[in-house]
Amino acid sequence: PWAGCFLSLFPLSPIVELNVGGEMYTTTLSTLKKHPGSKLAEMFTGQPKLRTDSEGRFFIDRPGTYFKYILEYLRSNQVPTQCIQDVYKEALFYDIEPLIKQLEDSPQIFGELVARKQFLARVPNYSENIELMIRIARAEAVASRRSSVIVCVVRTEEDAARCQDALNSLDMDKKSVVKFGPWKAAPSISDLLDCIQMDVEEKGYKIAFQPHVAEKGFRFKSHDFFYKFLFTWW
């Protein structure tokens, strides 16, 4: 309580000590307030809005590893060239608009936001289907080393109809087949399969896929549409 009273009675020192997620930093108040519209500047405008640790340092509950890149940008306008995805998340949190814009122009963020994410936005229910795949895999994981999930990937409406015909002739539970597509964008089926693998792996799962070989009774090549994703648990 005394520390809080002390801080509210006296103006902030021009030298500021920070504890960001356990990493210690020393900088100036003017550096932190360099971009007045940012959340970071707001934290140090007017009466202090942050708690302090046992040493009296202002505490920010964010990953400290990447704050050094934020600080470097504020000090010298140097845009980071490593850990870009993680620094981008922190720039969004601190709402440092000029850094956000510059990072969005980097190949890594541009490719993710403009190319890949815009493609996936045109694949109906993409995120929901990823979650459905994971739920099915986890349900099959009991006392098993691996789980398999069958995925049907169709790029056109015509393929969707053929996929449905194939599903109707499959001797299995249709509810356990996860269907992706159709979509109107340039990327191919193999591109979408790569996206599925990337996004499931990003959630911490070990996964691989292969064409799902036809069972007898199929009237056409099932591997045009069907793929088996294998989740490995141990």
Side-chain angles (χ1 to χ4, degrees), residues 55-224:
E55 299 296 320
R57 292 175 289 235
F58 290 107
F59 180 71
I60 302 175
D61 195 13
R62 294 294 294 181
T65 310
Y66 311 116
F67 190 72
K68 64 182 177 185
Y69 300 110
I70 299 290
L71 213 47
E72 191 57 43
Y73 176 77
L74 295 173
R75 287 168 173 160
S76 61
N77 288 326
Q78 183 176 322
V79 179
T81 55
Q82 51 189 331
C83 305
I84 287 177
Q85 297 276 3
D86 294 301
V87 177
Y88 179 65
K89 289 177 188 173
E90 296 310 295
L92 288 172
F93 173 78
Y94 294 114
D95 196 19
I96 303 169
E97 201 64 41
L99 178 56
I100 292 169
K101 283 187 165 60
Q102 288 182 70
L103 288 172
E104 286 179 349
D105 281 339
S106 70
Q108 297 94 321
I109 304 293
F110 181 86
E112 175 68 10
L113 290 182
V114 176
R116 199 176 85 90
K117 281 288 198 304
Q118 287 297 316
F119 158 53
L120 295 177
R122 300 180 188 194
V123 180
N125 304 314
Y126 176 80
S127 297
E128 293 87 343
N129 283 340
I130 294 288
E131 295 300 329
L132 178 57
M133 283 179 66
I134 291 169
R135 284 202 303 276
I136 293 170
R138 289 173 72 98
E140 292 186 1
V142 179
S144 301
R145 184 167 189 181
R146 295 182 184 87
S147 303
S148 64
V149 179
I150 306 300
V151 166
C152 175
V153 183
V154 292
R155 190 170 174 183
T156 67
E157 294 288 354
E158 182 184 4
D159 287 345
R162 295 174 69 200
C163 171
Q164 194 57 50
D165 282 349
L167 276 175
N168 291 336
S169 66
L170 266 176
D171 184 24
M172 67 181 295
D173 182 2
K174 296 180 187 63
K175 289 181 183 175
S176 65
V177 177
V178 182
K179 181 187 159 198
F180 286 86
W183 65 86
K184 293 179 180 177
S188 65
I189 284 176
S190 65
D191 293 326
L192 182 67
L193 292 168
D194 288 340
C195 287
I196 294 170
Q197 182 170 7
M198 283 171 63
D199 289 327
V200 174
E201 285 179 342
E202 190 177 301
K203 294 176 182 292
Y205 295 92
K206 188 176 179 183
I207 192 174
F209 66 87
Q210 62 195 41
H212 182 52
V213 180
E215 300 168 12
K216 58 185 179 180
F218 270 51
R219 294 188 294 279
F220 48 84
K221 293 185 297 179
S222 67
H223 59 73
D224 286 346

